[in-house]
Amino acid sequence: MDLSLVNSSNKIINTHQPSSTDQITTAICSYSTIQHSSEIYNLNAKDIALCFKQWFKSHDTLLFDRIFDILKTHNDTDADARNAVDTALSNLNLRLSESFVLEVLKYGHRNGFDVLSCLKFFDWAGRQPSFQHTGSTFYAVFKILSKARLMSVMLDFLEKFMNPWWCVHRIRYYNTLVVGYAVAGKPYVALHMFGKMRFQGLDLDEFSYHVFLNALVEQGCFDAVEAIFKQIF
């Protein structure tokens, strides 16, 4: 119904009052517009986030490639060559952390870089005053050696590591030996090291226990696993 009137100045006055139906219709239209705008905004936000993610990933890839280029280009046949590698890596101003070292090792292993390059980076990182290797980084390099079937290299490393001065104030000594020998397929040596540390009142951390017990199960040492469970639980 048209409720428009004409006043004395012949101007049309709209006296129509919106009904509840009109108000609901207007609200629905407004909500639809807002929702549509929100969907567009969310889509753009996702695209932007994806772009940033890809940018950071490409940046990391370039950095990792640069690291392995340095490690491959310089051999370590003499002290000068090793110093050149150290200097080149230091000039990259890397912010070393457990997660970063793990990412570099994973990248090198997955992209077919030689195992020696991974070991050289691991060694370099461990000699930096701002970084200390953790159980996770040791386990990562042990797994790389194990998958490459370089058990002799791993065992040689562990024999050198048995000199306590090598890792003073850097990582729990026995944790590394127990995990290393377990991953290297030497369960009885690992058990011997575990017994020595328990005799001295020391114990594995949770991560090392997980690796150690899994390795014993994989190698069929079920009696040893049962005995350890009785000790710790």
Side-chain angles (χ1 to χ4, degrees):
M1 178 179 179
D2 188 2
L3 299 179
S4 299
L5 300 177
V6 179
N7 65 5
S8 58
S9 302
N10 294 324
K11 292 182 178 179
I12 297 176
I13 302 174
N14 186 6
T15 60
H16 173 70
Q17 298 296 323
S19 66
S20 58
T21 303
D22 294 330
Q23 292 174 341
I24 293 173
T25 302
T26 302
I28 291 174
C29 292
S30 299
Y31 174 77
S32 299
T33 302
I34 294 172
Q35 186 181 39
H36 180 65
S37 300
S38 177
E39 288 175 353
I40 294 175
Y41 173 77
N42 288 337
L43 179 61
N44 291 336
K46 290 178 181 178
D47 289 342
I48 292 171
L50 180 61
C51 288
F52 272 108
K53 183 178 180 180
Q54 291 175 341
W55 184 85
F56 281 117
K57 185 176 181 180
S58 63
H59 179 267
D60 288 342
T61 299
L62 292 173
L63 179 59
F64 294 162
D65 284 339
R66 178 60 183 147
I67 290 171
F68 282 99
D69 283 343
I70 292 172
L71 294 169
K72 289 191 303 181
T73 302
H74 300 83
N75 59 50
D76 57 351
T77 55
D78 54 57
D80 290 338
R82 288 192 292 272
N83 289 335
V85 171
D86 287 357
T87 301
L89 290 175
S90 297
N91 288 339
L92 295 178
N93 296 318
L94 303 175
R95 300 180 66 178
L96 295 177
S97 65
E98 179 188 74
S99 59
F100 181 80
V101 171
L102 290 174
E103 284 296 321
V104 173
L105 293 175
K106 181 172 69 173
Y107 181 82
H109 181 60
R110 287 186 175 179
N111 288 275
F113 292 105
D114 60 288
V115 174
L116 179 59
S117 293
C118 293
L119 291 178
K120 287 163 68 175
F121 177 77
F122 178 86
D123 174 66
W124 173 82
R127 290 186 283 106
Q128 304 312 299
S130 61
F131 178 73
Q132 295 183 8
H133 278 302
T134 66
S136 296
T137 57
F138 271 101
Y139 177 65
V141 82
F142 289 155
K143 289 298 290 184
I144 290 173
L145 290 171
S146 175
K147 289 181 178 180
R149 301 184 182 278
L150 295 174
M151 296 303 183
S152 59
V153 176
M154 191 189 309
L155 293 174
D156 181 61
F157 170 84
L158 290 169
E159 287 179 8
K160 292 178 180 178
F161 189 81
M162 290 180 72
N163 293 315
W165 61 265
W166 196 91
C167 59
V168 172
H169 303 306
R170 286 183 173 264
I171 192 174
R172 295 179 67 182
Y173 173 61
Y174 282 111
N175 276 22
T176 304
L177 291 174
V178 171
V179 169
Y181 280 113
V183 174
K186 298 290 183 180
Y188 296 107
V189 180
L191 286 167
H192 175 68
M193 293 297 169
F194 177 70
K196 287 182 67 174
M197 71 179 299
R198 294 283 291 182
F199 180 77
Q200 296 180 31
L202 304 174
D203 204 357
L204 295 173
D205 56 34
E206 183 177 351
F207 175 80
S208 299
Y209 261 122
H210 175 75
V211 176
F212 180 41
L213 293 174
N214 277 352
L216 291 178
V217 170
E218 289 175 359
Q219 293 157 27
C221 302
F222 302 112
D223 291 341
V225 172
E226 183 179 358
I228 292 172
F229 266 100
K230 289 180 179 179
Q231 289 183 26
I232 63 178
F233 295 110

